[in-house]
Amino acid sequence: MSLEESIEMTVKSCGVELYDITTAKENDKNIYRIYITSKDGVSLDKCAEVSRLISPILDVEEPMSGNYNLEVSSPGIERKLKKLSHFKASVGEKVKVKDIATEVYKGELLTADDEKIVIKTEFGDETISYDSILSAATFFEW
């Protein structure tokens, strides 16, 4: 079983879903970030619970060389969309997508199937295949 699979099982045992795992370097500190989601939202207590349960796993299988900080949080209101499951879970939300031709599409994510997404933009519906997406994220209009 991979480290990610172990983390995912632990996260699910807490009643939430694993959204993403990222690594970063901020102020000369390595950070191992685990993002979790739930239909009911994610509380600070839930993040602490997941962190307590994952910490021993990371003591055995170090995810990064050297010292690092573990952070567990929600991906937030504006989150990156990387996986098929991210797109499918975001149908109905506002998204911004950049494709390989560096065109940017903004609008409501109407559909997400296994091959493509459809975004309702101010110019009409745009169909974009996953293999042509450079980056994508949800966004919130204030």
Side-chain angles (χ1 to χ4, degrees):
M1 183 182 299
S2 73
L3 176 58
E4 186 169 338
E5 288 169 333
S6 297
I7 291 170
E8 187 164 15
M9 273 181 36
T10 304
V11 166
K12 282 186 174 181
S13 75
C14 295
V16 292
E17 296 293 318
L18 177 64
Y19 187 80
D20 202 7
I21 298 173
T22 63
T23 56
K25 192 171 186 88
E26 293 175 7
N27 303 322
D28 290 332
K29 288 188 177 170
N30 290 317
I31 300 170
Y32 190 74
R33 282 197 181 103
I34 297 173
Y35 294 101
I36 57 175
T37 59
S38 167
K39 285 183 180 33
D40 305 322
V42 174
S43 69
L44 197 54
D45 288 344
K46 186 58 73 174
C47 291
E49 176 188 351
V50 169
S51 181
R52 276 193 307 274
L53 292 172
I54 287 175
S55 226
I57 296 169
L58 300 181
D59 288 344
V60 174
E61 277 189 72
E62 288 194 1
M64 303 174 79
S65 60
N67 291 336
Y68 64 91
N69 291 345
L70 169 63
E71 289 183 4
V72 177
S73 71
S74 156
I77 233 171
E78 294 187 340
R79 60 196 181 282
K80 290 182 179 171
L81 305 174
K82 295 180 182 176
K83 302 175 184 174
L84 188 63
S85 61
H86 295 170
F87 285 95
K88 289 182 175 182
S90 299
V91 169
E93 293 187 60
K94 296 207 178 301
V95 296
K96 182 163 63 173
V97 176
K98 185 190 266 187
D99 71 8
I100 51 178
T102 64
E103 293 282 331
V104 176
Y105 303 94
K106 286 175 80 169
E108 181 186 344
L109 182 59
L110 294 178
T111 64
D113 62 24
D114 291 344
E115 284 89 42
K116 65 191 177 320
I117 60 171
V118 178
I119 301 172
K120 180 181 182 179
T121 71
E122 61 181 302
F123 308 109
D125 293 357
E126 296 286 345
T127 301
I128 307 162
S129 64
Y130 292 113
D131 57 7
S132 68
I133 295 174
L134 274 183
S135 64
T138 60
F139 73 93
F140 186 76
E141 284 185 309
W142 300 96

